[in-house]
């Protein structure tokens, strides 16, 4: 851990108001870290509708398997999250650990184990001793409070240098609803479910099946469009819960994902997830600069995204950004290696507002000074026009610095 | 450039004997570097058969386009290579530059422009002023010598810290033939034609079509199985020339690529290409450790290679190696993200001879001391058993160090 807060951290944190229907509590169980909280419990006193998206890794963690199995039930009463140990690649012991934790949580809140959801983040391959925290869940279920979002975000941090929180409001019919979310993640971040962990709760009344559609759609241009290091975690988990408390305010029932009444909610959810996803990138391990890569004019939106990710994941592009070097030749390289159609002689590239290349060669008006000035900023935009179609995508990444190497050269020890 | 030689460099360089039918000369044209040679000319006094494989980049350099167009002719009389400027993404100016160089080379050796092959390596996007070196080719064609391989390898270096040379012998029928090769490359190294530049010459008498088959086969387990940083150059070029001088020793004509008389030659060629490819990895920018990643028991050889590359290209695996951390959890992560079939509960992982994981969890006999001892070595083997089939592949990479970031943070300036 680097010890200091990312220079890209938000200057102020959003105030996250209480959200009706969910209470939270944290504990310091000493799983790996000393002197900080490392267990989070969320309690839904009435059953909440639940949706989730998870890592596409072929070697998912035990909690990911556990959550996927419970998702079909559609309701949640408790969530238990720990940091410091991912409970991944832990075999039979890992399954025993999730079973023990779920049983303890179910007892604590008085629900079935099928209404419990679990997540773990931290080191892979170390057995997780669930006895360390299953004993505290009874107390947490009692002490859990509605106004505890910031503390909740802190308890799930690993190499994060700041907690990640966001809140939005929307109207469904005449009822005002709220969405609150927390996230953690700083490394092992790449699309195919890019966050490590994120938990989002709304007081809207939305059935689980509709909630799942909304979440699956919203994840693509947000969490699945950010990358720190192209590495995909075994544990990536994003869950969305709807407590339904807004029913009491007269929120009308929702009629499937296409219901026009969801328009504002959909926008707010998308916006909140993007906020959290960008906070994850801004806390990228060792990051000093945030980079938005936009590709336009590709054959399709999917092609644009693959080209954008090829640029955003290129070590040579990322080290050039770290060095404040307007090295657009490496952007050409990354376009070329993406495997997508590109016509070298139609390419144009911008750093910020400065067009550095056009028609397959250096811009005739190229100014090294102007391009270099763009690279000095904390936030950098790279834009590439492919010139073949209308496909467009934006992805976000950070630079690759010596600090990334340092942090990851001895994370375990 | 780092200024010091890679700690993984060969302790001694192979003596490369003359090879009948090819002469070489170099010049210091001041293209980018001062006080060193940066132009290489190879001259075949009689037409040589030629084969080549090139970058799969959709944005190839002008010399790559030029070579591909000439390859159909099947014969070579001259090769001109420069370092310091890749002549890539240089548009019309780039094509003018290759045309001018080819015309000058053709005049110098008295051949057609279709028998000239060109390669350029260095910065992308800067126009290459071919007048800087086209004037010296007349002189080089005259002064070129057979015993000049080591100097030739030096002239094509960019961020390389040592020249890369190799030589092998084989028998075809009763005739002894020789293969000599040079290569350059240290960064922007990834499969899909992994070298940056390599030129290999044999005095065997092998027709161009057969030569092409031999080369295309041999590149897969060699140059296309190494990766430094997953970035694919716009300029990757590997060419193989056969001067046919061994005809004079009674080498029998070759009857297509399946001719059993080629068995020994094929082995020698493969071995030489692997030697050169591993020299490229050992000179990986900032590299302190060489890593061989072997995947066994995958569904197919292709699946094994994709899993092996997922491990070898993972920044988290590579930084762990740099930190001498036996972090096999990151190997699990990289297997999981590869997209290939894997059953978490059948995986086994070795660092060197130490089995660290088996049956989907930490090896019961796991010893941190034993695993850490393996990581202290300069050469590290990571082996993964997938447990699903018989597919097998080995790829080679290096660690990811702060020096890589440093070298690439200001390569251009």
């Amino acid at each position: 851990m680097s010890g200091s807060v990312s220079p890209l951290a938000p200057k102020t944190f959003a105030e996250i108001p209480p959200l009706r229907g969910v209470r939270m509590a944290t504990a310091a169980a000493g799983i790996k870290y000393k002197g900080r909280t490392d267990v989070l419990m969320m309690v839904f006193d009435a059953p909440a509708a639940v949706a989730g998206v998870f890592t596409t890794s072929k070697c998912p963690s035990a909690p990911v398997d556990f959550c996927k199995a419970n998702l079909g039930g559609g309701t949640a009463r408790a969530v238990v999250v720990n940091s410091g140990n991912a409970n991944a690649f832990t075999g039979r012991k890992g399954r025993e650990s999730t079973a023990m934790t779920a049983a303890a949580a179910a007892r604590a809140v008085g629900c079935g184990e099928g209404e419990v959801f679990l997540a773990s983040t931290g080191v892979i391959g170390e057995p997780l001793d669930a006895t360390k925290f299953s004993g505290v869940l009874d107390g947490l279920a009692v002490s859990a409070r509605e106004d505890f979002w910031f503390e909740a975000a802190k308890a799930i941090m690993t190499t994060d240098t700041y907690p990640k929180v966001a809140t939005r409001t929307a109207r469904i019919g005449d009822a005002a609803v709220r969405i609150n979310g927390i996230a953690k993640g700083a490394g092992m971040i790449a699309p195919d479910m890019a966050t490590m962990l994120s938990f989002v709760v709304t007081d809207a009344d939305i059935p689980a099946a509709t909630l799942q559609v909304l979440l699956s759609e919203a994840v693509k241009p947000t969490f699945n469009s950010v990358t720190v290091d192209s590495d995909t975690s075994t544990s990536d988990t994003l869950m969305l819960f709807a407590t339904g408390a807004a029913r009491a305010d007269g929120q009308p029932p929702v009629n499937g994902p296409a219901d026009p009444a969801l328009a504002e909610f959909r926008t707010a959810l998308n916006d909140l997830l993007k906020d959290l996803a960008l906070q994850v990138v801004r806390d990228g391990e060792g990051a000093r600069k945030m980079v938005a890569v936009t590709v336009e004019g590709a054959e399709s939106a999917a092609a644009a995204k693959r080209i954008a990710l090829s640029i955003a994941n290129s070590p040579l592009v990322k080290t050039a950004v770290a060095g404040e070097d307007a090295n657009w030749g490496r952007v050409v390289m990354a376009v070329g290696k993406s495997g997508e159609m590109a016509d070298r002689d139609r390419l144009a590239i911008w750093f910020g507002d400065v067009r550095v290349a056009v028609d397959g060669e250096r811009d005739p008006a190229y100014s090294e000074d102007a391009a270099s000035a763009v690279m000095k900023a904390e936030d950098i935009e790279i834009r590439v026009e492919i010139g073949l179609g209308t496909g467009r995508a934006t992805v976000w990444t950070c630079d690759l610095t010596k600090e990334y190497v340092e942090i990851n050269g001895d994370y375990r020890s």
Side-chain angles (χ1 to χ4, degrees), chain A:
Chain A
M1 259 157 293
S2 66
S4 57
V5 174
S6 165
L8 305 177
K11 304 306 172 225
T12 58
F13 292 104
E15 281 279 341
I16 312 296
L19 191 142
R20 295 167 300 171
V22 61
R23 298 183 296 120
M24 284 151 287
T26 60
I31 294 165
K32 172 174 151 64
Y33 306 117
K34 302 298 168 202
R36 55 156 281 192
T37 55
D38 53 7
V39 178
L40 162 67
M41 188 174 195
M42 304 177 87
V43 179
F44 304 98
D45 288 318
V50 57
V53 282
F54 301 91
T55 182
T56 58
S57 172
K58 294 296 200 297
C59 301
S61 67
V64 165
D65 280 349
F66 182 89
C67 285
K68 282 180 167 173
N70 276 1
L71 208 58
T75 59
R77 288 289 312 280
V79 180
V80 179
V81 190
N82 74 274
S83 56
N85 184 313
N87 194 13
F89 211 66
T90 42
R92 185 180 47 77
K93 293 188 200 77
R95 292 186 286 274
E96 288 169 2
S97 177
T98 53
M100 174 188 285
T101 309
R107 270 196 311 274
V109 305
C111 70
E113 290 171 23
E115 297 173 299
V116 175
F117 292 84
L118 304 174
S120 297
T121 174
V123 175
I124 299 173
E126 303 274 340
L128 170 63
D129 179 6
T131 61
K132 275 198 175 166
F133 57 93
S134 57
V136 306
L137 299 183
D138 279 338
L140 293 181
V142 173
S143 64
R145 295 156 37 177
E146 284 192 339
D147 58 341
F148 215 62
W149 285 92
F150 198 73
E151 290 301 318
K154 278 160 70 176
I156 64 173
M157 288 164 60
T158 54
T159 57
D160 304 61
T161 71
Y162 58 85
K164 294 156 190 77
V165 294
T167 183
R168 294 292 186 279
T169 56
R171 297 197 78 82
I172 301 178
D174 289 332
V177 302
R178 178 169 293 286
I179 317 175
N180 286 352
I182 60 174
K184 66 81 52 183
M188 210 179 276
I189 300 287
D192 281 351
M193 190 57 257
T195 183
M196 300 195 68
L197 303 181
S198 182
F199 304 94
V200 180
V201 187
T202 178
D203 53 7
D205 177 24
I206 302 178
T210 298
L211 212 56
Q212 184 66 48
V213 172
L214 294 175
L215 183 64
S216 297
E217 282 174 6
V219 76
K220 287 179 201 158
T222 59
F223 277 111
N224 277 350
S225 291
V226 300
T227 177
V228 167
D229 52 15
S230 79
D231 276 341
T232 303
S233 165
T234 55
S235 309
D236 295 332
T237 298
L238 165 60
M239 301 198 78
L240 172 60
F241 304 92
T243 69
R247 251 193 320 266
D249 305 336
Q251 185 216 302
V254 164
N255 186 20
D259 190 331
L262 281 174
E264 204 177 305
F265 181 88
R266 195 187 296 263
T267 302
L269 176 64
N270 203 88
D271 200 46
L272 176 133
L273 293 183
K274 182 174 165 185
D275 186 346
L276 290 173
L278 295 196
Q279 287 189 55
V280 167
V281 176
R282 296 186 83 84
D283 205 8
E285 287 168 344
R288 294 288 174 271
K289 291 178 189 287
M290 169 88 178
V291 188
V293 179
T294 297
V295 171
E296 298 176 323
E299 284 202 312
S300 66
K305 189 162 178 179
R306 277 190 288 270
I307 295 170
L309 284 170
S310 179
I311 298 168
N313 280 324
S314 158
L316 288 170
V317 171
K318 291 159 76 82
T319 49
V321 173
E324 301 189 338
D325 176 10
N327 195 324
W328 57 270
R330 294 185 184 170
V331 177
V332 175
M333 175 281 297
V335 172
K337 78 164 181 168
S338 71
E340 292 300 325
M341 274 305 293
D343 178 342
R344 184 183 55 198
D345 296 341
R346 293 185 187 200
L347 280 189
I349 300 171
W350 288 257
F351 285 127
D353 292 333
V354 179
R355 192 175 68 181
V356 292
V358 64
D359 296 337
E361 57 188 302
R362 192 163 69 186
D363 194 303
Y366 178 78
S367 152
E368 181 81 24
D369 285 350
S372 293
V374 170
M375 304 307 286
K376 302 256 180 256
E378 206 170 79
D379 282 78
I380 293 171
E381 287 183 38
I382 299 177
R383 186 155 65 87
V384 178
E385 170 63 48
I386 304 294
L388 290 180
T390 59
R392 188 185 186 289
T394 297
V395 305
W396 294 270
T397 190
C398 55
D399 55 346
L400 172 56
T401 65
K402 292 182 198 175
E403 288 70 25
Y404 177 89
V405 177
E406 191 167 286
I407 292 165
N408 287 298
D410 54 18
Y411 168 66
R412 233 181 28 142
S413 39

